[in-house]
Amino acid sequence: MINFTILIAETVVCYIWRDGKWKLYLLDGEENTHLSKGGAYVMQQIKQQLHNPADLRQIDIVLLFSKTGQNALPDFFKAASSHGFGQVQALALAPLTQRTQVARQTIDAVSDTAWCLECLLPLLDAMLQSRLDLLSDAQREQTYAHEKNIEQLQERLRRLKVENAALQARADALQAAPMEHLVTFLPLFFRNFWEKIRPDELAHLAGKLSFPTIPSPCPDLSPEVIRQLKVKFKTLPGSAQGKIIGMVEQLRNIQKQDIRVEMLDFLEKRNDG
């Protein structure tokens, strides 16, 4: 990064930050130039003397102006912008000269190269660095607050997802299993199921308007059919299994029906989950 400081009073003096320190930057071979030559001339001289002026956006400029040079600031800003320089900022020269340990009158300060290099420009560096530090602290605080806000939003989103899943589970539970599932799988859980409950009673408990037609008598399932139905039950989606097991538990509580031993694992897994 190349930086320039331009002192603007009745005369204009330019300094460049190079090799870790400030150095006087000659304008057309001269240590200073008269203000009447204008900002366009000064910026053109800076641009022409740079070894690689291809990307002037990387060059920042500080304009230190006296009361005399204040009116010329628009010309300097316009010239810097037209040439494509980077950030340009203007600071009053008088407050800086008053803060240095060795006081100088503004006009003398501009022409006193040694004093500028030893006193004025180091003070300028310290002031600008302090501003950068304050800006960095503010940016860090803003970044922390932003990250904290994101964490809070993520936690809120997580809670909403959990609540939504719970509400969905309740909604699914309120929707009774299809009658064909109940007719098929309830006898898998209960021995001699149709001897203990009528089809119309099942329809009433399931909230259905129509009830199935079941032959009477209806023999209990054979071991082979039980095995096949268990395989088929395992292939059902979890929500479908849950609805069927919910009806199983409801019938078990109401009628105290006995569950087949081989089906107890399904109920225990549901209760553990």
Side-chain angles (χ1 to χ4, degrees), residues 17-149:
W17 179 263
R18 180 177 287 167
D19 301 327
K21 61 182 179 180
W22 287 106
K23 297 179 181 181
L24 181 65
Y25 191 82
L26 301 181
L27 298 172
D28 199 16
E30 301 292 335
E31 291 187 1
N32 59 67
T33 187
H34 197 272
L35 179 60
S36 61
K37 289 189 176 182
Y41 169 80
V42 174
M43 296 300 172
Q44 182 63 32
Q45 288 298 313
I46 293 175
K47 180 178 180 181
Q48 287 180 352
Q49 297 178 53
L50 290 174
H51 295 298
N52 184 21
D55 194 357
L56 298 180
R57 292 173 299 177
Q58 300 300 318
I59 300 176
D60 293 340
I61 298 175
V62 175
L63 304 175
L64 289 181
F65 62 92
S66 68
K67 187 175 181 180
T68 304
Q70 184 173 0
N71 292 334
L73 287 178
D75 183 37
F76 278 84
F77 274 106
K78 181 179 179 181
S81 176
S82 64
H83 285 293
F85 285 97
Q87 180 182 1
V88 181
Q89 56 180 318
L91 299 171
L93 180 57
L96 281 174
T97 61
Q98 294 169 4
R99 290 173 58 184
T100 57
Q101 294 180 353
V102 181
R104 284 288 188 273
Q105 295 297 323
T106 301
I107 296 177
D108 292 338
V110 173
S111 59
D112 191 341
T113 302
W115 179 80
C116 288
L117 291 172
E118 295 173 7
C119 300
L120 181 65
L121 294 175
L123 179 61
L124 173 64
D125 286 339
M127 185 188 72
L128 293 178
Q129 185 60 51
S130 177
R131 288 186 177 183
L132 287 175
D133 292 342
L134 289 175
L135 179 60
S136 297
D137 290 342
Q139 289 176 336
R140 280 194 293 269
E141 291 178 2
Q142 185 178 12
T143 300
Y144 174 78
H146 179 66
E147 292 176 348
K148 195 69 176 177
N149 189 41

Side-chain angles (χ1 to χ4, degrees), residues 192-203:
N192 300 309
F193 177 72
W194 294 113
E195 292 182 3
K196 300 175 182 178
I197 187 170
R198 301 193 309 271
D200 61 310
E201 291 175 330
L202 176 61

Side-chain angles (χ1 to χ4, degrees), residues 158-174:
R158 186 194 66 79
R159 290 198 304 268
L160 289 174
K161 287 182 177 180
V162 172
E163 293 174 3
N164 184 65
L167 290 173
Q168 186 62 49
R170 292 177 185 176
D172 291 342
L174 292 174

Side-chain angles (χ1 to χ4, degrees), residues 181 184-185 188 227-242 244 263 266:
H181 281 181
T184 301
F185 294 108
L188 173 63
R227 186 190 67 80
Q228 293 181 11
L229 286 178
K230 282 182 65 176
V231 173
K232 188 175 180 181
F233 182 79
K234 291 178 180 179
T235 64
L236 292 177
S239 59
Q241 292 184 20
I244 295 170
M263 299 304 295
F266 290 98

